[in-house]
Amino acid sequence: MLLFDGHLDLSMNAIDWNRDLNLGVYDLRAREASMAGKGRAKGTVTLPELRRAEVGLCMATVIKRTARPATDVPGFPGAASQEVSYGWAQGQLAYYRVLEAAGKVRMIADREALDEHVAGWLQDSASQPLGFILAMEGADPVVWPAQAESWWADGLRVVGPAHYGVSGYAHGTSTEGGFTAQGRELLRIMDGLGMILDLSHLAEQAFWEALDLFRGHLLASHNNCRALVPGDRQFSDEQLRAVFARGGVIGAVLDAWMLHPGWVRGETTPAQAGVTLEAVVDHIDHICQLAGNADHAAIGSDLDGGYGTEQTPMDLDTIYDLQRVPGLLRARGYTEADVEKIMYRNWVDLFRRAWS
């Protein structure tokens, strides 16, 4: 089944981790076998594996947060300035552009291109490039709010104002606070351009401020449910209902610390915790039960988002295993139409509405 993954850090893996994503997953792991460090030799995503997994569409990110000593987060080193963040993210964009020039991927930036791409994949996936919508995780590479117009011209369509810590625009994960004056201006400009707001990683105060300030289309590219796994990185049921009310979609994420209460990063293992893909389906099901329908649930895997199989469900070897999710949903009584919504149609429909 066609799969639309709401969050993949492809250029981060290529540029920051110096990975050749043209390789097969197992060839990449073999190349990294002698490397130390989290996620090395445990990757799950490459271009051939995306095709094998029928991930015909994804939101692919550019990401480089700016370091701020008072709010820096271990494990997520930042750039020396927002200008450096911009240069870094532009380098990641250049990677996508050269892949596109080689015919390996296609940037999707409007409704016509989206409809054409989906129709092509449903008819003959083998003849189609991989499609991606350009997203930004943490808005520090937008050096000043009006520069969002330049990024729009570059094809950027989705922006999450913060990542871990505090960006130049908003408080993010592991902090408390809202939007800065610059952040409020950025939201105004994004709204005018038609950019979509990604609520993932926003601190709770910033989340609610965003819903008050921003009137455009919104989503949560990779977020799970606080009712199942406590923590400020997850959404409460109240937040989920607010996203439903705005027509938003939430992508279930596969990072194991967001799937198992009490997970200790760097210590707990998937086998110890007993985390399987059923836990991902638990979060999808919670969203559907809370909404009363399957119109707001999707997948935003975040696979290889700074980790590998040491921090994913124990029954996932590569991104290909996401194709097991439809069967798990059917086993819980989901109809074929609802399974299609969760696997790709909800994301597609959101972008079709946004780009109408």
Side-chain angles (χ1 to χ4, degrees):
M1 181 178 293
L2 176 62
L3 171 59
F4 188 141
D5 193 324
H7 189 88
L8 288 172
D9 297 313
L10 299 179
S11 65
M12 183 193 80
N13 276 272
I15 302 300
D16 298 32
W17 286 51
N18 197 26
R19 282 175 159 167
D20 181 358
L21 298 186
N22 293 300
L23 297 174
V25 163
Y26 304 111
D27 292 330
L28 179 61
R29 290 179 185 174
R31 180 173 289 191
E32 295 183 351
S34 64
M35 296 183 185
K38 184 178 178 181
R40 289 298 187 182
K42 297 180 176 67
T44 66
V45 180
T46 64
L47 298 180
E49 199 67 9
L50 286 171
R51 182 168 294 282
R52 191 169 82 96
E54 297 186 65
V55 183
L57 278 161
C58 69
M59 281 181 252
T61 68
V62 292
I63 173 173
K64 191 60 178 180
R65 62 188 300 279
T66 301
R68 291 176 175 82
T71 61
D72 215 1
V73 178
F76 292 92
S81 68
Q82 282 190 249
E83 291 88 346
V84 175
S85 291
Y86 171 82
W88 203 296
Q90 281 285 312
Q92 293 174 342
L93 173 59
Y95 172 73
Y96 291 132
R97 283 176 166 159
V98 76
L99 290 181
E100 185 169 37
K104 297 173 182 178
V105 303
R106 172 189 291 155
M107 183 186 287
I108 309 296
D110 58 44
R111 182 168 170 168
E112 182 180 2
L114 177 66
D115 288 346
E116 178 185 330
H117 186 79
V118 172
W121 263 81
L122 292 175
Q123 292 167 12
D124 180 16
S125 61
S127 67
Q128 302 297 317
L130 302 168
F132 75 97
I133 295 169
L134 187 64
M136 183 179 287
E137 186 174 20
D140 278 331
V142 181
V143 185
W144 56 89
Q147 198 195 37
E149 297 175 9
S150 173
W151 275 107
W152 176 268
D154 285 334
L156 182 66
R157 294 296 180 264
V158 181
V159 175
H163 186 224
Y164 284 90
V166 181
S167 74
Y169 300 105
H171 284 71
T173 300
S174 302
T175 68
E176 296 181 6
F179 276 78
T180 66
Q182 289 279 87
R184 292 189 287 275
E185 177 67 5
L186 176 64
L187 290 179
R188 185 189 68 79
I189 292 171
M190 286 173 55
D191 208 349
L193 290 169
M195 280 183 173
I196 297 170
L197 174 64
D198 187 354
L199 298 164
S200 291
H201 278 293
L202 285 179
E204 188 146 352
Q205 179 182 331
F207 172 95
W208 292 111
E209 287 182 6
L211 265 63
D212 287 339
L213 294 165
F214 187 79
R215 303 318 308 162
H217 293 271
L218 51 80
L219 55 81
S221 64
H222 58 308
N223 239 95
N224 285 347
C225 308
R226 196 178 299 175
L228 303 182
V229 179
D232 72 334
R233 179 62 183 87
Q234 328 279 26
F235 281 164
S236 67
D237 285 359
E238 183 182 10
Q239 288 175 297
L240 290 171
R241 290 189 182 99
V243 177
F244 304 159
R246 292 283 292 270
V249 174
I250 300 103
V253 58
L254 273 78
D255 195 336
W257 77 273
M258 298 172 66
L259 295 169
H260 180 74
W263 181 282
V264 179
R265 279 180 279 186
E267 296 182 17
T268 309
T269 68
Q272 289 171 345
V275 176
T276 69
L277 286 167
E278 288 282 6
V280 181
V281 177
D282 287 343
H283 286 268
I284 292 171
D285 185 59
H286 182 81
I287 289 168
C288 293
Q289 298 302 328
L290 195 66
N293 55 55
D295 296 344
H296 303 278
I299 293 172
S301 74
D302 196 25
L303 288 172
D304 293 359
Y307 59 94
T309 53
E310 80 287 351
Q311 200 169 298
T312 64
M314 59 188 291
D315 53 348
L316 181 134
D317 182 37
T318 79
I319 195 167
Y320 175 78
D321 290 306
L322 288 179
Q323 286 295 341
R324 296 181 53 225
V325 170
L328 298 176
L329 289 167
R330 293 181 192 114
R332 298 196 189 198
Y334 282 80
T335 67
E336 199 64 21
D338 286 342
V339 171
E340 287 188 359
K341 286 181 180 182
I342 293 163
M343 291 296 282
Y344 73 94
R345 286 202 178 276
N346 285 338
W347 283 136
V348 170
D349 288 349
L350 184 149
F351 281 99
R352 293 189 83 251
R353 292 193 300 272
W355 292 343
S356 62

